Each structure stands twice: as structure tokens, then as C-alpha cells.
Amino acid sequence: MANIDELKQYKHIHMIGIGGVSMSGIAEILKNWGFIVTGSDSSSSENTDKLIQNHIPVTIGHDLVNLEKSDLVVYTAAIKNDDIELVRAKQLNIPIVERGTFLGKLTKAYKNTWKNIKNILKKCWQNMTSCVNIENVPSNRQK
């Protein structure tokens, strides 16, 4: 999955532990890029509620039905090796990838990602410091 074309070979990505901050963000990005995204989590949260509002199916508990329809499974490091969804994905030979690895490969799919982030942060920092400097410029007026 070193480039975007490799990622595009997948249509349906199922995410185990989708309610986490990172996983829910990845899910929304993937949906915005046109992938079918489904997921499961052990408990509901603001993140899972937001995903559901954004039309990403989330099952609280295990979701073997959507998992079996997927062609890639991404899971968070908190998922144990004996998790029934992870075991089932292995039985079905569905490719599985841990969230950190997936995020790294996803980032590498875009050559200029870090360059763009660096430029954006630099511009934000310049804007913030110029505002601070304007606020802290001593007035020439006497009181």
C-alpha cells in the first residue's frame, strides 16, 4: 500500500475499534475519498455517534456481517489477537493491517503530505506571531 493506486484496489474497508480518535478520523477521510467504510467498537461514544451521523455504519460489539463483505480490515492496537472479527478476517484471507501501519502507508501515498503540513504550520505560526507582535507593540501615545 505504498501509493494511492494500491489503496484504490480496495472498495470496502472495515475498521475494528472505529470509535478511537485516530480510527474515527481515518474512517471519515476514507468515506470522503469514496470508500465504503464500516466498523465496530466495544462501546458507543461521541466519535461513534458522529460517524453514524455521517452515514458510516458502526456496530457496538462485533460485526461479522460487514467484516465478511470487506476487502481490507484495519484494526487498532487495542484489539487482541483472539478478537472474533480479527480471527474471522484471517480465516477469510482478508488483508488486515494495524492502524499505525495503515496511517503510515496512507501518509506515504501522498509525496507532499509532510511538506504541505510543514508549510501550513509555518504559515499558521507566522500569522499567530504577527498577531501577538501587533498586540504587544507599545503605543507611542502618552496617557
Side-chain angles (χ1 to χ4, degrees):
M1 226 182 299
N3 65 48
I4 195 66
D5 292 327
E6 289 181 52
L7 183 60
K8 287 181 180 177
Q9 71 179 315
Y10 304 107
K11 305 284 184 242
H12 182 162
I13 300 173
H14 184 74
M15 304 182 75
I16 306 171
I18 198 168
V21 173
S22 181
M23 290 284 277
S24 60
I26 293 169
E28 289 192 48
I29 289 168
L30 292 171
K31 177 157 180 18
N32 288 332
W33 286 350
F35 292 93
I36 298 168
V37 180
T38 57
S40 63
D41 205 281
S42 60
S43 59
S44 62
S45 65
E46 288 182 33
N47 290 339
T48 58
D49 293 344
K50 183 179 176 188
L51 292 170
I52 292 166
Q53 289 172 358
N54 290 330
H55 308 288
I56 296 174
V58 175
T59 299
I60 304 305
H62 295 291
D63 183 1
L64 296 177
V65 173
N66 278 316
L67 175 123
E68 292 174 358
K69 295 176 187 175
S70 69
D71 44 22
L72 178 67
V73 172
V74 179
Y75 66 97
T76 182
I79 302 302
K80 295 184 178 14
N81 287 333
D82 63 350
D83 178 87
I84 64 170
E85 289 179 82
L86 203 54
V87 169
R88 186 65 179 146
K90 290 175 186 176
Q91 290 171 345
L92 296 171
N93 294 316
I94 299 171
I96 60 172
V97 63
E98 196 271 327
R99 179 212 51 89
T101 302
F102 183 76
L103 185 57
K105 291 179 183 276
L106 191 62
T107 301
K108 286 181 184 175
Y110 293 91
K111 294 177 185 175
N112 295 323
T113 299
W114 292 113
K115 180 180 174 185
N116 290 340
I117 290 171
K118 180 182 170 185
N119 289 336
I120 290 167
L121 291 174
K122 182 178 176 182
K123 190 57 106 176
C124 288
W125 180 253
Q126 289 170 344
N127 290 342
M128 287 188 335
T129 56
S130 66
C131 289
V132 169
N133 289 336
I134 289 170
E135 292 293 322
N136 291 327
V137 171
S139 174
N140 289 335
R141 292 183 261 158
Q142 294 199 1
K143 293 184 182 186

